[in-house]
């Protein structure tokens, strides 16, 4: 059996209600678990970007992306391995201020991971970190050893390709040029 790889799928679609359900249904039909999901507006007006991670095999990811691209409101979908993208996550750690203040090592750990304390009050403090999923998990595990973590939340992965251009921009420019040519020919 082939080893599974963590793939990042980037989907661009029109901003239409129900498209997220259509995209996730493709994963459900193939019985694939979505590890993380982030949806936001893209740099193109009216176009949204979905960043989805999933553990699977090379042949399954190819089929999955082709199925996603067949959805009516999907503009384009691509999959990437970790070395083909620049990716980050954001995490917030709500920690007990008294424990944080009485344990100097906790502050050193926060600084070592490049995290920042963004809110402090007598009851709790908020630590914010941007980084790799592994680093975010490591900081959480270390803070847990001090018994100070009250809450923890992390975003899904956000990513951009390492290529010099956004594939969807090139695709849309080509589609517009083709439309103009067809319109001019009629």
């Amino acid at each position: 059996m082939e080893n599974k790889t963590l793939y990042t799928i980037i989907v661009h679609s029109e901003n239409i209600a129900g498209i997220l359900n259509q995209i996730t249904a493709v994963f459900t039909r193939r019985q694939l678990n979505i590890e993380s999901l982030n949806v936001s507006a893209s740099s193109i007006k009216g176009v949204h970007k979905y960043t989805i991670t999933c553990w699977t095999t090379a042949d399954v990811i190819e089929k999955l992306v082709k199925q996603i691209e067949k959805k009516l409101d999907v503009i384009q979908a691509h999959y990437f391995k970790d070395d083909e993208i620049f990716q980050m996550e954001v995490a917030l750690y709500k920690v007990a201020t008294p424990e944080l203040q009485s344990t100097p090592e906790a502050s050193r750990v926060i600084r070592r991971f490049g995290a920042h304390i963004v809110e402090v009050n007598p009851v709790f403090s908020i630590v914010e970190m941007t980084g790799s999923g592994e680093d975010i998990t490591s900081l959480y595990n270390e803070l847990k050893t001090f018994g100070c973590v009250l809450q923890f939340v992390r975003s899904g992965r956000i990513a951009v390709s390492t290529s010099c251009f956004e594939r969807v921009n090139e695709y849309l420019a080509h589609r517009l040029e083709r439309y103009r040519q067809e319109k001019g020919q009629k």
Side-chain angles (χ1 to χ4, degrees), residues 40-88:
S40 65
S42 74
S43 60
I44 303 164
K45 186 178 180 178
V47 175
H48 273 56
K49 183 175 184 174
Y50 302 73
T51 306
I52 307 165
T53 60
C54 176
W55 287 96
T56 191
T57 60
D59 65 316
V60 171
I61 196 69
E62 286 181 31
K63 293 173 187 171
L64 180 83
V65 168
K66 284 179 185 175
Q67 282 185 310
I68 291 170
E69 277 197 318
K70 288 180 182 178
K71 300 299 173 192
L72 185 61
D73 298 314
V74 168
I75 298 168
Q76 203 171 44
H78 295 282
Y79 65 91
F80 303 89
K81 291 183 179 178
D82 280 356
D83 63 346
E84 299 171 314
I85 58 170
F86 182 78
Q87 55 89 16
M88 298 293 241

Side-chain angles (χ1 to χ4, degrees), residues 88-149:
M88 298 293 241
E89 291 183 26
V90 177
L92 295 175
Y93 310 79
K94 183 178 181 182
V95 295
T97 299
E99 284 80 358
L100 183 64
Q101 290 174 337
S102 67
T103 313
E105 183 60 26
S107 293
R108 283 192 282 277
V109 167
I110 291 167
R111 284 192 305 277
R112 189 176 81 230
F113 277 93
H116 307 281
I117 298 173
V118 294
E119 171 69 27
V120 178
N121 68 46
V123 179
F124 64 85
S125 298
I126 304 295
V127 176
E128 175 269 330
M129 180 178 171
T130 302
S132 71
E134 295 81 18
D135 287 345
I136 284 170
T137 300
S138 295
L139 177 57
Y140 172 74
N141 289 333
E142 289 201 38
L143 289 174
K144 234 172 52 171
T145 65
F146 301 118
C148 64
V149 179

